[in-house]
Amino acid sequence: MSNEEVCVLIPTLNEEATIGQLIRDFRSEGFDNILVIDGNSTDATRSIAEAEGARVIIQSGKGKGQAIQEAFILIDSKYVVMIDGDGTYLASDVHAIIKPLLEGTADHVMGNRFADYEAGAFTKLNHFGNRMLNKLFGFAYGEWLDDILTGYRGYTHRAVKSFELREVGFEIESEMTIDSIKKDHRIKVVPISYLKRHYKADTKLHPVKDGARIAKTIYKMARLHNPMFYFGIIGVAFMLAGFITGLFVVFQWVQGITRIPLTILTAILLLAGFQMFFFGMLSDLTVSLHRENLRMIRRLSEDLRYPEDKK
């Protein structure tokens, strides 16, 4: 393999403190095909990247997700390595990222930051939030991955061109992981190092606000992948509300007070909860059949598009 077959994609926004060194580090590892897609930085990010020999494109929209979608349309390399430009990842870990791609054992490689992180790289809130989102993802999609929000990833050309991405913000990492599962990509997680943020590099991630958006994306997209999980949570909420109102009705009845409207509401809530569970079971069956049909169609389509893989 020539390193020219690997495109290093770096989405940036005001990364002048770290982008130059990151590009130099990748060049020292033998990777010269570097694409920086910049979100209209107001500092010297673009000029530094160009001076270091990277190809620089200004994204047409806003948000990390939109930048990645735009870059994936432009890139035509055999392999793509995506890394954040904030200097928290090591260029030397690129070999661990691309190894499963070159060996043909993975279509999507994710770097696990929790395998080796520097003291102070995560705040307590970020560490807790990441762990909780990983668990939510596991329950929703049945894939217990170590780090679904990692910013260091590798893809084959086929995986990149098969993505159907819509999220424009930081939810893009979870969406790519979900879409890979839906598309039956072979996912592999490899250990990487994660460094403390450069003192001049400000974070763009708001832990609570963006964490809530990521959780919402994970839950929302489960509707078409694991409807039992999606509708089950709604069912539990209805039944819990019915249980609470029911306790109040019983407590009042023991005291000789009859709450007819609340009794009716309790019955409606409990019935709605059971219906949500039943609807989730039917939807789960439908989605499973649909997934099998799509899998067969996808395999036939890939056989036609990539006949060389059959040789």
Side-chain angles (χ1 to χ4, degrees), residues 231-247:
F231 291 106
I233 289 181
I234 299 175
V236 168
F238 274 122
M239 293 184 72
L240 183 61
F243 180 73
I244 293 172
T245 58
L247 283 179

Side-chain angles (χ1 to χ4, degrees), residues 198-261:
H198 192 281
Y199 73 98
K200 290 185 179 180
D202 295 328
T203 180
K204 289 89 180 173
L205 181 72
H206 190 286
V208 177
K209 181 180 177 181
D210 289 310
R213 288 178 176 174
I214 292 166
K216 179 182 176 182
T217 298
I218 293 172
Y219 175 69
K220 178 180 65 176
M221 294 186 69
R223 181 178 67 247
L224 299 177
H225 183 82
N226 186 357
M228 190 65 220
F229 172 83
Y230 180 85
F231 291 106
I233 289 181
I234 299 175
V236 168
F238 274 122
M239 293 184 72
L240 183 61
F243 180 73
I244 293 172
T245 58
L247 283 179
F248 180 75
V249 167
V250 171
F251 180 74
Q252 291 282 284
W253 179 76
V254 170
Q255 293 182 329
I257 303 172
T258 303
R259 300 284 186 178
I260 303 240

Side-chain angles (χ1 to χ4, degrees), residues 41-310:
S41 293
T42 56
D43 62 7
T45 298
R46 293 195 297 275
S47 59
I48 293 173
E50 288 174 343
E52 295 295 340
R55 178 188 176 197
V56 179
I57 295 175
I58 302 176
Q59 72 179 91
S60 60
K62 293 183 179 180
K64 182 179 181 180
Q66 194 279 333
I68 291 171
Q69 292 177 46
E70 189 170 337
F72 279 179
I73 293 173
L74 298 173
I75 295 172
D76 202 35
S77 300
K78 191 173 183 179
Y79 304 102
V80 177
V81 171
M82 186 182 77
I83 184 172
D84 290 342
D86 57 7
T88 53
Y89 298 96
L90 294 175
S92 57
D93 282 332
V94 67
H95 304 289
I97 294 288
I98 64 174
K99 183 179 178 182
L101 303 177
L102 302 180
E103 293 175 343
T105 59
D107 305 300
H108 181 172
V109 179
M110 303 166 61
N112 176 19
R113 297 172 294 171
F114 296 101
D116 179 26
Y117 59 90
E118 188 178 32
F122 290 103
T123 65
K124 290 183 178 180
L125 180 59
N126 282 337
H127 192 277
F128 175 78
N130 271 271
R131 292 298 192 190
M132 290 300 100
L133 290 171
N134 285 331
K135 290 185 182 299
L136 174 64
F137 185 92
F139 283 116
Y141 299 94
E143 294 284 344
W144 296 91
L145 304 172
D146 297 303
D147 188 7
I148 64 166
L149 302 181
T150 178
Y152 207 167
R153 298 169 184 254
Y155 312 95
T156 62
H157 176 266
R158 187 185 304 188
V160 165
K161 296 306 178 182
S162 71
F163 279 132
E164 297 175 274
L165 306 174
R166 296 178 178 83
E167 299 297 333
V168 297
F170 288 107
E171 309 94 311
I172 190 67
E173 279 97 355
S174 55
E175 186 185 23
M176 285 189 292
T177 309
I178 293 167
D179 206 40
S180 277
I181 292 174
K182 289 170 61 178
K183 299 286 173 42
D184 291 323
H185 294 165
R186 294 166 299 169
I187 300 176
K188 185 153 188 171
V189 179
V190 298
I192 60 169
S193 299
Y194 190 59
L195 308 179
K196 186 177 180 181
R197 186 177 297 276
H198 192 281
Y199 73 98
K200 290 185 179 180
D202 295 328
T203 180
K204 289 89 180 173
L205 181 72
H206 190 286
V208 177
K209 181 180 177 181
D210 289 310
R213 288 178 176 174
I214 292 166
K216 179 182 176 182
T217 298
I218 293 172
Y219 175 69
K220 178 180 65 176
M221 294 186 69
R223 181 178 67 247
L224 299 177
H225 183 82
N226 186 357
M228 190 65 220
F229 172 83
Y230 180 85
F231 291 106
I233 289 181
I234 299 175
V236 168
F238 274 122
M239 293 184 72
L240 183 61
F243 180 73
I244 293 172
T245 58
L247 283 179
F248 180 75
V249 167
V250 171
F251 180 74
Q252 291 282 284
W253 179 76
V254 170
Q255 293 182 329
I257 303 172
T258 303
R259 300 284 186 178
I260 303 240
L262 270 181
T263 302
I264 295 173
L265 177 61
T266 297
I268 291 174
L269 289 172
L270 291 175
L271 182 60
F274 280 114
Q275 286 181 328
M276 285 293 116
F277 276 111
F278 183 69
F279 187 67
M281 291 173 63
L282 291 178
S283 299
D284 195 64
L285 177 61
T286 302
V287 166
S288 296
L289 294 173
H290 181 63
R291 190 179 298 128
E292 287 301 319
N293 290 333
L294 283 179
R295 188 175 289 119
M296 292 178 63
I297 294 171
R298 195 177 299 121
R299 286 173 181 170
L300 290 172
S301 176
E302 289 181 351
D303 288 346
L304 293 174
R305 291 176 59 192
Y306 304 97
E308 65 277 6
D309 292 351
K310 292 295 181 180

